[in-house]
Amino acid sequence: MAFFGLWAGILAAIGPDAAAWATTTERVVTNRYSGLAIEGFDPVAYFTDAAATQGRPEFEAAEAGAIWRFRNEGNRASFVAHPEIYGPQFGGYDPTDLVRGVACAGNPRFWVVAGNRLYLFNRETSRDAFAADPARFLKEARGRWPDLQQSLAR
């Protein structure tokens, strides 16, 4: 019980974004309580609005074992037609961490669209490093992703 109290204190000190720091076991990053992918942010809005925009419960779609939310029906329809384009690459895991050989969930507030694909990062510094040289990170992340993906739960 003392261990649980210590762990709860650590999580409280870290704050609500602690989940983004944790290594996860899903192939697509989802909130374990709600089942929402990328914390309910609209993946299409990163492309159409160049902004991280919360989706709405009335515009949802199920894909890849997760519930995705959108700000409008048009964005939902675009995603349903092309989830491989609009969904975050590497299932929403941070590509800079994939380079290190670990799968850490990206935070939908730290993002880059590069090469017409969406990438999420767990830290602002990771996003900035990636944005400075996406090709360098992507080559290695793509090489490591198949093995890491196989280690994640289905």
Side-chain angles (χ1 to χ4, degrees), residues 53-137:
T53 304
Q54 282 287 176
R56 297 170 47 190
E58 59 267 31
F59 302 114
E60 290 185 343
E63 172 68 34
I67 303 298
W68 300 81
R69 283 193 176 161
F70 307 91
R71 68 179 185 88
N72 59 42
E73 179 56 36
N75 284 9
R76 189 184 89 66
S78 294
F79 180 85
V80 168
H82 300 286
E84 74 284 357
I85 292 174
Y86 294 110
Q89 300 301 289
F90 308 116
Y93 292 96
D94 184 329
T96 64
D97 286 325
L98 294 178
V99 167
R100 296 184 307 113
V102 295
C104 292
N107 181 326
R109 290 171 184 86
F110 303 131
W111 59 277
V112 168
V113 172
N116 292 317
R117 295 296 186 264
L118 173 62
Y119 300 93
L120 303 179
F121 304 89
N122 68 7
R123 294 177 306 278
E124 195 171 2
T125 55
S126 296
R127 180 203 57 204
D128 295 346
F130 178 92
D133 191 3
R136 178 176 70 94
F137 286 99

Side-chain angles (χ1 to χ4, degrees), residues 24-27 101 103 145-154:
T24 61
T25 58
E26 299 96 16
R27 288 181 179 228
W145 177 238
D147 289 338
L148 285 168
Q149 188 179 27
Q150 290 304 314
S151 70
L152 299 171
R154 293 180 188 258

